[in-house]
């Protein structure tokens, strides 16, 4: 009888504790002010499963759309173990970016940090972050683009397009990803996939397959495969780093600069940060830009009137040259007004990175609500980019909507490259790569879409696959 009573008391205590846990999970009281409305979902998992659900190309994430309709432009939720305030309000988003380092700082989930590395650029703030940005600008900054980089990009684009034409039919996402990976792997660490015994790009593919997946790290899951892909890729980069330290031969690449920084007596950079920086740059360049290029081809193929205007602009450039077969110059690139409109419209609709994350450093008052210290804030650019109050007929691909506007800057309503001090440092080279690709494709080749492609979205990235074109030289 005593054992029964002990069991009953223990069970009652457990149920009371569980009930209190569930109540605090669904009714968090983490600040003195008023929390935004919302739901925290189930205990432990919150609303993670719904958050990770894929969705279609021209859409605001259903997870966000559903809650906006119920709670408004600012709401709370919980996923992957974090309390989150989601903002779809342009004024709040602008405020968050302007308050970097004072009220907010960049912050991603632990699973995201595990994927990109504890020493990645996402982990640094203030002067350390500024230092790393300046290093990257020495690789891809505007001054570099005007010189050797422009020549290299033109040469690589022409070479790869010629190769694709020999194959006849290609998967655009696959071949543009390969092109950009090869270019940046050489530029960063003088890596040549064709000569390497361990294939770095294969590990990136494994990494990408599980990048946006439920963070369950057990064998057989996509997340586990992602971590293994990262581990193997960073091992290749680390080995190259170690080999280079023993060499006195300059390679004229980014790794030379990193090694020089690591050797300084008073230094910010160490080997672990350098390896994670190379890993992150290789991902950020080849994956995001190739996705944008794929969607660019899809959009202009679906809109022949846009393609016709692009052809007109680029043939005008050819006629103005002494040699039509010459390379694009910086002046020609800057003169591609309609091309830049097309690029802006592509990245507006593409929303390559639909979620931008920050962490509140203190209780922050916005719109009558309090974002508690320690909570994550998720800014959702796609809501702004697809908003009928900000853009007429927002789901339409209409490059002319950019006429008369600044084509090279972000704003409260255009955040394709982020915002504030975290504005993407690679935005300029991404645009140059896309413009160069368009120029040579349009002026030197014919192509037709043979397979329409499958555009899959997840909360962190867009995955355009299966867009095949048949390509031949004019």
């Amino acid at each position: 009888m005593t054992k029964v009573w002990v069991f009953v008391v223990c069970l009652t205590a457990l149920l009371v504790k569980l009930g209190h846990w569930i109540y605090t999970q669904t009714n968090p009281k983490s600040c003195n002010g008023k929390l935004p409305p919302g739901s925290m979902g189930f205990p432990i998992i919150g609303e993670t499963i719904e958050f990770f659900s894929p969705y279609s190309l021209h859409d605001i994430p259903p997870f966000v759309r559903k809650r906006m309709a119920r709670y408004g432009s600012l709401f709370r939720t919980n996923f992957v173990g974090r309390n989150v305030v989601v903002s779809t309000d342009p004024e709040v988003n602008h405020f968050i970016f302007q308050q970097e380092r004072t009220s907010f700082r960049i912050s991603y989930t632990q699973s995201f940090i595990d994927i990109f590395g504890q020493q990645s650029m996402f982990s640094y703030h203030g002067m350390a972050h500024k230092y790393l940005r300046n290093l990257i600008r020495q690789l891809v900054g505007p001054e570099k683009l005007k010189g050797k980089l422009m020549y290299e990009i033109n040469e690589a684009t022409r070479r790869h397009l010629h190769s694709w034409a020999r194959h006849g039919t290609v998967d655009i996402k696959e071949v543009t990803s390969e092109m950009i990976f090869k270019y940046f792997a050489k530029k960063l660490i003088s890596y040549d996939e064709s000569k390497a015994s361990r294939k770095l790009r294969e590990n990136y593919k494994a990494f990408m397959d599980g990048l946006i997946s439920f963070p369950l790290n057990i064998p057989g899951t996509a997340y586990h495969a992602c971590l293994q892909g990262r581990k193997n890729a960073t091992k290749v980069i680390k080995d190259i780093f170690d080999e280079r330290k023993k060499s006195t031969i300059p390679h004229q690449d980014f790794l030379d600069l990193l090694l020089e920084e690591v050797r300084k007596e008073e230094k910010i950079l160490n080997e672990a940060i350098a390896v994670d920086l190379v890993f992150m740059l290789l991902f950020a360049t080849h994956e995001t830009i190739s996705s944008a290029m794929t969607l660019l081809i899809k959009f202009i193929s679906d809109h022949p009137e846009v393609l016709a205007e692009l052809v007109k602009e680029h043939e005008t450039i050819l006629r103005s040259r002494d040699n039509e077969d010459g390379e694009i110059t910086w002046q020609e690139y800057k003169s591609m007004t309609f091309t830049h409109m097309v690029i802006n419209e592509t990245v507006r609709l593409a929303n390559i990175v639909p979620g931008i994350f920050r962490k509140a450093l203190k209780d922050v008052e916005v719109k009558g609500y309090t974002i508690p210290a320690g909570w994550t804030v998720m800014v959702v650019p796609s809501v702004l980019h697809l908003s009928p109050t900000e853009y007429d007929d927002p789901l339409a691909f209409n490059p002319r909507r950019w006429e008369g506007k600044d084509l090279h800057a972000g704003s409260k309503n255009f955040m394709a490259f982020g915002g504030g001090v975290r504005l993407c440092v690679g935005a300029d080279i991404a645009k140059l790569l896309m413009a160069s690709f368009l120029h040579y494709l349009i002026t030197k080749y014919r192509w037709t879409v043979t397979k329409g492609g499958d555009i899959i979205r997840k909360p962190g990235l867009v995955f355009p696959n299966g867009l095949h074109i048949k390509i031949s030289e004019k």
Side-chain angles (χ1 to χ4, degrees):
M1 190 68 176
T2 304
K3 291 182 178 180
V4 173
W5 275 109
V6 171
F7 174 76
V8 170
V9 171
C10 290
L11 180 60
T12 301
L14 180 61
L15 290 173
V16 169
K17 189 172 183 178
L18 180 61
H20 177 71
W21 183 29
I22 293 172
Y23 177 80
T24 55
Q25 175 79 2
T26 55
N27 298 274
K29 301 295 182 183
S30 302
C31 64
N32 296 321
K34 181 182 178 183
L35 286 171
S39 168
M40 309 306 283
F42 295 103
I44 303 176
I45 65 171
E47 297 183 313
T48 303
I49 294 174
E50 189 177 355
F51 176 76
F52 277 105
S53 300
Y55 56 100
S56 62
L57 172 61
H58 291 308
D59 198 9
I60 294 167
F63 177 89
V64 174
R65 181 185 291 279
K66 178 180 174 182
R67 286 155 182 78
M68 284 176 62
R70 184 172 180 181
Y71 303 119
S73 63
L74 203 67
F75 60 86
R76 59 181 164 87
T77 181
N78 180 286
F79 50 81
V80 293
R82 285 203 175 189
N83 292 328
V84 181
V85 170
V86 177
S87 172
T88 65
D89 185 302
E91 297 298 328
V92 174
N93 295 345
H94 182 70
F95 170 75
I96 289 168
F97 290 143
Q98 295 305 309
Q99 292 295 311
E100 181 85 25
R101 297 198 300 267
T102 56
S103 298
F104 298 94
R105 73 180 184 192
I106 192 169
S107 178
Y108 286 86
T109 63
Q110 186 57 48
S111 59
F112 189 92
I113 296 299
D114 289 342
I115 288 171
F116 281 99
Q118 299 294 331
Q119 304 288 343
S120 77
M121 197 168 174
F122 299 114
S123 301
Y124 289 92
H125 316 279
M127 293 304 297
H129 173 255
K130 184 177 181 180
Y131 165 78
L132 293 174
R133 279 181 65 89
N134 286 338
L135 281 181
I136 298 170
R137 286 180 67 85
Q138 292 185 55
L139 174 71
V140 297
E143 292 305 314
K144 296 290 183 181
L145 296 182
K146 296 177 184 179
K148 187 179 179 182
L149 278 186
M150 172 160 275
Y151 168 79
E152 292 173 346
I153 288 170
N154 288 333
E155 192 276 331
T157 303
R158 298 179 78 166
R159 185 175 69 254
H160 281 270
L161 280 166
H162 181 69
S163 173
W164 303 347
R166 291 205 311 270
H167 284 87
T169 300
V170 295
D171 180 325
I172 280 292
K173 176 62 170 64
E174 173 62 24
V175 294
T176 54
S177 179
E178 179 186 36
M179 174 181 72
I180 297 167
F181 184 89
K182 284 183 175 180
Y183 174 75
F184 278 102
K186 182 178 180 181
K187 197 72 184 169
L188 288 166
I189 54 176
S190 297
Y191 173 86
D192 186 339
E193 186 93 346
S194 65
K195 299 176 181 178
S197 57
R198 286 175 297 171
K199 304 302 181 184
L200 184 55
R201 187 159 178 259
E202 289 179 6
N203 292 314
Y204 268 92
K205 286 183 177 180
F207 168 78
M208 281 305 306
D209 287 343
L211 177 58
I212 306 299
S213 58
F214 192 86
L216 185 61
N217 187 19
I218 59 175
T221 64
Y223 183 69
H224 178 78
C226 177
L227 291 178
Q228 290 300 113
R230 173 195 153 71
K231 179 181 177 181
N232 294 334
T234 52
K235 178 66 165 62
V236 174
I237 296 169
K238 179 67 165 59
D239 288 348
I240 293 171
F241 194 97
D242 290 340
E243 290 170 9
R244 188 73 67 83
K245 285 192 298 184
K246 303 171 185 175
S247 173
T248 57
I249 302 172
H251 288 69
Q252 304 299 317
D253 60 11
F254 190 57
L255 187 51
D256 278 354
L257 173 62
L258 296 182
L259 283 166
E260 182 181 331
E261 292 295 310
V262 167
R263 290 178 182 132
K264 289 181 178 179
E265 290 186 13
E266 295 182 6
K267 60 186 179 183
I268 295 176
L269 198 69
N270 59 37
E271 291 184 18
I273 299 173
V275 169
D276 276 350
L277 184 61
V278 170
F279 175 83
M280 185 273 291
L281 288 173
L282 266 177
F283 158 74
T285 50
H286 91 278
E287 185 55 39
T288 58
I289 299 172
S290 63
S291 292
M293 284 181 171
T294 303
L295 293 171
L296 176 61
I297 293 301
K298 178 176 177 59
F299 290 146
I300 64 175
S301 297
D302 289 344
H303 297 83
E305 73 285 358
V306 173
L307 178 57
E309 194 160 354
L310 281 170
V311 169
K312 181 180 177 181
E313 178 170 85
H314 287 269
E315 287 185 344
T316 299
I317 290 173
L318 292 186
R319 288 194 297 270
S320 68
R321 291 177 184 166
D322 294 333
N323 177 11
E324 285 194 1
D325 289 327
E327 303 281 348
I328 301 171
T329 66
W330 182 254
Q331 290 72 27
E332 288 173 346
Y333 167 67
K334 298 302 286 185
S335 75
M336 297 175 184
T337 303
F338 187 68
T339 299
H340 286 293
M341 292 181 190
V342 171
I343 291 171
N344 272 18
E345 185 69 347
T346 296
V347 295
R348 179 188 72 85
L349 283 172
N351 292 300
I352 299 295
V353 183
I356 303 171
F357 294 86
R358 296 292 186 267
K359 178 181 179 180
L361 300 177
K362 58 185 179 182
D363 286 1
V364 181
E365 303 291 329
V366 287
K367 300 281 183 173
Y369 298 111
T370 298
I371 301 174
W375 279 43
T376 296
V377 179
M378 178 182 174
V379 170
V380 187
S382 60
V383 175
L384 306 178
H385 295 163
L386 303 179
S387 169
T389 60
E390 305 297 340
Y391 296 95
D392 292 334
D393 195 8
L395 298 183
F397 180 73
N398 176 22
R400 281 292 174 194
R401 73 172 77 246
W402 296 96
E403 205 157 19
K405 297 181 180 179
D406 188 341
L407 298 173
H408 302 284
S411 69
K412 292 180 183 179
N413 303 317
F414 183 60
M415 304 163 60
F417 296 100
V421 298
R422 295 271 177 176
L423 188 70
C424 178
V425 70
D428 290 322
I429 196 169
K431 293 174 185 177
L432 177 57
L433 281 160
M434 293 172 73
S436 175
F437 173 61
L438 267 181
H439 176 77
Y440 294 112
L441 178 67
I442 287 170
T443 58
K444 303 296 182 183
Y445 296 88
R446 300 182 184 90
W447 85 92
T448 55
V449 174
T450 60
K451 186 178 177 183
D454 198 16
I455 311 300
I456 301 171
R457 288 191 178 280
K458 292 185 180 182
L461 286 172
V462 57
F463 295 85
N465 296 302
L467 180 66
H468 289 78
I469 65 168
K470 184 175 182 181
I471 181 171
S472 60
E473 294 187 20
K474 286 184 177 180

